[in-house]
Amino acid sequence: MSTEEMSMQELESQYNEQEGLRRDKLAELQSAGKDPFDVYKVNRTHTSEEVKANYDALEGKEVTVAGRLMSKRGQGKVVFSDIHDKDGKIQLFLKIDKVGEENLKQYKTFDLGDWVAATGEVFTTKTGEVSINVNTFELTCKSLKPLPEKWHGLKDPDLRYRQREVDIITNASVKDTFIKRSKIISAMREFLDTKGFVEVETPILGAIAGGAAAKPFVTHHNTLDMDMYLRIATELYLKRLIVAGFEKVYEIGRNFRNEGMSVRHNPEFTAIELYEAYSDYNDMMEITENMVAHICKKVNGTTKVTYQGTEIDFMPPWRRITMVDAVKEYAGVDFNEIKSNEEAQAIAKEKHLEFAKPLDTVTKGEVLNALYEEFGETNMIQPTFVTDYPVEISPLTKKKRGNPEFTERFEGFVFGRELCNAYSELNDPIVQRQRFEQQANERELGDDEAYMLDEQFMSALETGMPPTGGMGMGIDRLIMFLTDSASIRDVILFPTMRPQK
């Protein structure tokens, strides 16, 4: 057995012993009629931050605070301890002549992790720390599991994600990240609401997995006796609302894709999609860069962030470059000079590109996209809109004005990673059906991420959708950039995990 395995076993043994002692303490409290689990309510008057912020008005006055016991020091006739609440921490000062000998003795038996409420006067210690001079206290919940060693916290990444509640207790920066996540989403809503967008909710379960090229999760509806899909995107429902006359709509919600997991991918993720009638992809670029800049300023106070050691500036306008120009710049291939699929296939072979279908069925546009993904994407460090994607890979997008080989589509990239995707939305139902039929052919050739035909969406499109711009963004990725988080799991409270054995 290795030294590391032995130390882990010793640590586990110590934790098991501590847990046993805590259960013994609980039994003693219960037998004495002081069961902490019989406490139903705490009449807290102030949080830690409220006491500190209003010290001048509260000095010498009695308040009640509550939180988790995180440190305890002192012996004899005096005990100092810190309790943590949602805002931070505050120090409790317990003295034998104020709380009584028996009560102080009982307080000393409390364990780190226990929940405590205390009532007393606000004062400042000799060291200048705002504290509570405790008159009475109450154990409001007994922690039966010991917390990780306080100086090191919970460090193992797997355990951190599995035991997120303990991770937050012991790593203050983790809690800060998720508070900032909430503020980012609030700022996003604020920006769109002030521009007249209406927030809506659309189904998560559907008969068709549409709106994106992705593998869906499949479930079964017992009453209807049919398979259904967890949504991979909200696009088709939101465009049906544009048909209905909602001129500006957005939805923030969960999408589900049955694909790989990595530092950038979680099968369950949060996205925003927004659609605006009478707009095109140029308008979507403007609204995207302005929305992100607004969020940055609101949450961080500046449009600049440092991500993994690199300074990123989200100040508009962002760089704009066509996919053809990006491939020319970074892969050294000029697609303005390539006239046929065969020429493109030869380049693909030379560059060792791989596809999900036979090379002789790959089109010029598909090769262009593959070259961009291989050579161009990682170079997009500062916020960049890559525009004008090939029509073959953009089935829901209008063709580029003046160049029908391409579409009015862009993707936003930051630090070499895709942040968003947007179109001048295709609203011709005849062309849209042809595009869906082509996607069906792609599925037959082995592309199981090709789009499915949604007849309800087609019926809506035939009813008539005005010219529309649409944009979708991965919110988790945006939060990664604004919180300097290396992994998407660091910004999702409970990321997808394999069950623990």
Side-chain angles (χ1 to χ4, degrees), residues 6 8 23 56 167 224 233 236 245 267 274 353 396 449 463 466 470 472:
M6 288 179 64
M8 286 297 292
R23 289 180 181 272
D56 290 344
D167 185 29
L224 297 177
L236 302 187
L274 62 90
L353 301 179
L396 298 169
E449 293 186 2
T463 302

Side-chain angles (χ1 to χ4, degrees), residues 29 70 184 482:
L29 287 167
M70 292 298 289
I184 288 168
L482 270 56

Side-chain angles (χ1 to χ4, degrees), residues 14-28 109 111 142-144:
Q14 290 173 11
Y15 271 67
N16 289 338
E17 182 180 350
Q18 289 182 43
E19 187 172 338
L21 293 172
R22 288 174 181 237
R23 289 180 181 272
D24 290 343
K25 290 179 182 179
L26 174 63
E28 290 176 11
T109 68
D111 294 300
K142 183 68 184 170
S143 173
L144 299 181

Side-chain angles (χ1 to χ4, degrees), residues 9-272:
Q9 283 191 359
E10 290 171 359
L11 185 63
E12 185 177 351
S13 176
Q14 290 173 11
Y15 271 67
N16 289 338
E17 182 180 350
Q18 289 182 43
E19 187 172 338
L21 293 172
R22 288 174 181 237
R23 289 180 181 272
D24 290 343
K25 290 179 182 179
L26 174 63
E28 290 176 11
L29 287 167
Q30 290 171 330
S31 64
K34 298 179 179 180
D35 189 346
F37 299 117
D38 279 345
V39 178
Y40 284 78
K41 179 179 171 63
V42 175
N43 293 314
R44 180 173 68 175
T45 63
H46 297 78
T47 66
S48 60
E49 181 59 32
E50 288 168 347
V51 171
K52 294 174 183 178
N54 298 285
Y55 178 78
D56 290 344
L58 292 174
E59 183 181 10
K61 295 183 178 179
E62 187 175 86
V63 298
T64 298
V65 295
R68 185 187 291 275
L69 183 61
M70 292 298 289
S71 72
K72 191 172 56 170
R73 55 209 176 273
Q75 53 188 357
K77 298 180 180 181
V78 173
V79 172
F80 290 92
S81 63
D82 291 330
I83 61 170
H84 289 206
D85 61 16
K86 71 180 183 67
D87 290 338
K89 68 176 182 178
I90 193 160
Q91 180 173 262
L92 303 184
F93 174 73
L94 293 91
K95 198 171 182 182
I96 192 168
D97 58 5
K98 195 148 192 180
V99 299
E101 183 177 355
E102 286 301 313
N103 286 334
L104 188 63
K105 182 178 178 181
Q106 184 189 67
Y107 190 87
K108 291 178 181 179
T109 68
F110 290 177
D111 294 300
L112 301 188
D114 288 350
W115 291 88
V116 175
T119 300
E121 293 82 27
V122 177
F123 80 111
T124 302
T125 64
K126 293 179 181 179
T127 60
E129 184 168 358
V130 176
S131 306
I132 308 297
N133 191 357
V134 177
N135 296 319
T136 61
F137 61 85
E138 182 179 31
L139 181 66
T140 61
C141 180
K142 183 68 184 170
S143 173
L144 299 181
K145 285 186 175 293
L147 297 176
E149 202 280 314
K150 66 178 180 179
W151 300 116
H152 299 103
L154 195 63
K155 296 300 182 184
D156 180 80
D158 188 76
L159 280 178
R160 286 184 55 222
Y161 302 137
R162 290 185 188 280
Q163 300 180 30
R164 182 65 90 186
E165 62 283 354
V166 180
D167 185 29
I168 291 172
I169 292 168
T170 58
N171 296 319
S173 63
V174 176
K175 185 176 181 180
D176 292 341
T177 293
F178 288 105
I179 290 174
K180 184 174 282 190
R181 179 189 175 101
S182 177
K183 292 178 179 178
I184 288 168
I185 294 174
S186 293
M188 183 177 287
R189 283 193 167 99
E190 175 189 68
F191 177 86
L192 293 172
D193 291 347
T194 57
K195 290 190 173 296
F197 281 81
V198 176
E199 184 175 10
V200 297
E201 294 175 300
T202 62
I204 290 175
L205 279 177
I208 293 290
K215 296 177 184 177
F217 285 94
V218 185
T219 187
H220 189 78
H221 193 295
N222 291 333
T223 301
L224 297 177
D225 191 22
M226 62 179 286
D227 284 345
M228 300 189 78
Y229 302 92
L230 296 181
R231 72 180 178 201
I232 57 175
T234 57
E235 177 167 350
L236 302 187
Y237 280 111
L238 292 176
K239 288 201 280 195
R240 287 169 65 179
L241 293 177
I242 296 293
V243 171
F246 286 84
E247 295 183 1
K248 294 182 178 183
V249 294
Y250 75 93
E251 181 169 12
I252 295 173
R254 291 291 211 196
N255 290 339
F256 307 84
R257 298 185 182 179
N258 196 357
E259 299 170 347
M261 297 168 61
S262 70
V263 295
R264 286 184 277 176
H265 297 92
N266 193 68
E268 177 182 6
F269 63 97
T270 304
I272 179 173

